[in-house]
Amino acid sequence: MSLSSALSIAQSALLATSRQTSVVTRNVADADNPNYSRRIALVTSTTPGARSVDVQRAANDLLFRQNLGALSAYAGQSALYNGMDQLDVSVNGVDNASSPSTAIGNLQQALQLYATSPSNQNLGSSVIDAAKQVVRSLNEGSKAIQDFRTQTDGQIDTAVKDLNSLLNQFQDANTAVMSGTRSGTDVSDALDQRDALLKKIANYIPVSTFTRGDNDMVITTGDGTTLFETIPRTVSFAPSSGYAAGAAGNTVYIDNVPVSAGSGGNTTASGTIAGLLQLRDGVASTMQSQLDETARGLITAFAETAPSMPNAAGLFTWSGAPAVPAAGTLVDGLAGTIKINAAMDPSTGGNPTLLRDGGANGVAYVANTTGGASYSNLLVAYGDQLDKPMTFDPLAGISATSSVADYAANSIGWLQGVRQQASTAADAKEALAQRSADALSNATGVNVDQEMSLMLDLEHTYQASARMMKTIDDMMTALLSAVG
């Protein structure tokens, strides 16, 4: 072997080692970046003694797809659970302190006390005060639900805007990958950026991908709707400025295909958008229906009755008074409009004694016809009505037959049951997302210990090449001295 050939081999080895060292250094620098895939420097021989280095990016398509699916599932479940937590406190208060169920329980106690001493007008006023608290709980609960729906609607709008922005960024990253692939340059950084964007997109909507020629990627949703193909598809949504009970929310469309809301405590929602849609149109709307049915039950329980006369709204009244709402039929928004009958409210000049004697709707409805101060039959009857089974609309999601008091309690139970399912599922899906991320990281991420070991090997290789260069230099110096 000639000295010039040996020198060329030594130089090639030094260049290859330098390139490998650069790759290892980059790996160590980005070891904590969850969106970075390890680079692998592959050394190949070309002409005898010469070497070249090709940089490859670690990838595992199967684990990456599993991670995307797990991210979508957890995002949808998390959106549902966090929203239910907020909704529970807004409507029922901490430990259900301001719930309609608690207020109805207090009303029952006040009513029982008044029935034991019907001549005590202070106790009558206490019943009216307790009834006002029931009304306040229903009115404020109804408002809180509709405010929550409006807020959730705004979150959906923000999510849609973010998703459209991410799709535009994805187009830029995908173009960079395609251009680099066509020109034969290293596209590892562009691939990292594209995969990072895919993870973010998967948090909003479930995605499936396939790659065409030149590394061109196509994204579809979980149900097969095209989300990106060469250019982003339009994700559209028209937010509402406010909500009323019973009003349906607008739909999110991807390329004119509607996005379905999730269902159930262990929700079918994948992605934040589907979880938010379930909150707005599923959980919150159902809670509103339950409040409306509770209000209807109270109006019915305290309705005044008289022979040959239609039942008329008594202690609790509404916009359709004096009529009583039809049995078993949901009246949207009733919880937001129920109020105390002014004829019985002392703060508006009313007389609480009418609750004891009857007659808020005229003399035909007077039950205490003798005017006895110890008359308690009507008060006892009202107390019995609160515990008497009646028919509720099954569309409200809980038992169609129960007492008003039980129905209000069952409403809390329904929410807590769904919330518990959501909590358990959120923990499980979070763990799955974390495990899939760990598995992907183990397959494609950087192990610093491994990289440092490789760096040590490269250092030895560099030293050997340097010694070879020194030997060749000494030999050439000696040769030139001998010739001279």
Side-chain angles (χ1 to χ4, degrees), residues 293-310:
E293 279 294 83
T294 299
R296 186 184 60 77
L298 287 167
I299 294 171
T300 301
F302 283 88
E304 289 194 332
T305 61
S308 304
M309 296 290 289

Side-chain angles (χ1 to χ4, degrees), residues 423-443:
S423 174
T424 302
D427 290 341
K429 291 177 182 179
E430 181 182 21
L432 179 59
Q434 185 59 55
R435 284 197 299 269
S436 66
D438 290 344
L440 181 62
S441 177
N442 290 336

Side-chain angles (χ1 to χ4, degrees), residues 118-288:
S119 61
N120 189 333
Q121 294 307 302
N122 289 331
L123 294 179
S125 296
S126 295
V127 173
I128 302 302
D129 289 340
K132 286 182 178 179
Q133 184 55 47
V134 173
V135 167
R136 188 178 301 113
S137 176
L138 290 168
N139 291 168
E140 292 178 356
S142 180
K143 182 180 184 302
I145 289 173
Q146 299 313 316
D147 288 346
F148 175 83
R149 294 187 72 203
T150 302
Q151 175 186 333
T152 304
D153 202 73
Q155 292 175 345
I156 294 171
D157 185 45
T158 299
V160 167
K161 290 175 179 175
D162 289 345
L163 180 55
N164 280 316
S165 175
L166 287 170
L167 289 172
N168 287 326
Q169 295 174 52
F170 184 88
Q171 182 180 15
D172 295 337
N174 190 59
T175 299
V177 170
M178 292 171 60
S179 298
T181 301
R182 288 168 185 162
S183 63
T185 57
D186 183 13
V187 295
S188 297
D189 288 346
L191 287 170
D192 280 351
Q193 183 185 8
R194 191 170 72 174
D195 283 356
L197 289 168
L198 270 176
K199 291 179 183 179
K200 292 180 180 179
I201 292 170
N203 277 288
Y204 292 102
I205 205 80
V207 297
S208 180
T209 65
F210 64 92
T211 305
R212 305 185 294 195
D214 294 332
N215 261 333
D216 179 25
M217 183 172 281
V218 176
I219 310 176
T220 61
T221 64
D223 60 4
T225 304
T226 300
L227 191 60
F228 179 91
E229 184 179 11
T230 307
I231 60 172
R233 295 299 190 263
T234 301
V235 184
S236 59
F237 174 70
S240 299
S241 58
Y243 276 89
N250 291 329
T251 302
V252 176
Y253 292 93
I254 297 177
D255 202 21
N256 295 320
V257 178
V259 175
S260 299
S263 61
N266 182 4
T267 181
T268 59
S270 281
T272 301
I273 291 176
L276 292 174
L277 289 172
Q278 180 180 355
L279 273 175
R280 186 195 66 184
D281 299 331
V283 176
S285 292
T286 299
M287 286 185 68
Q288 178 67 56

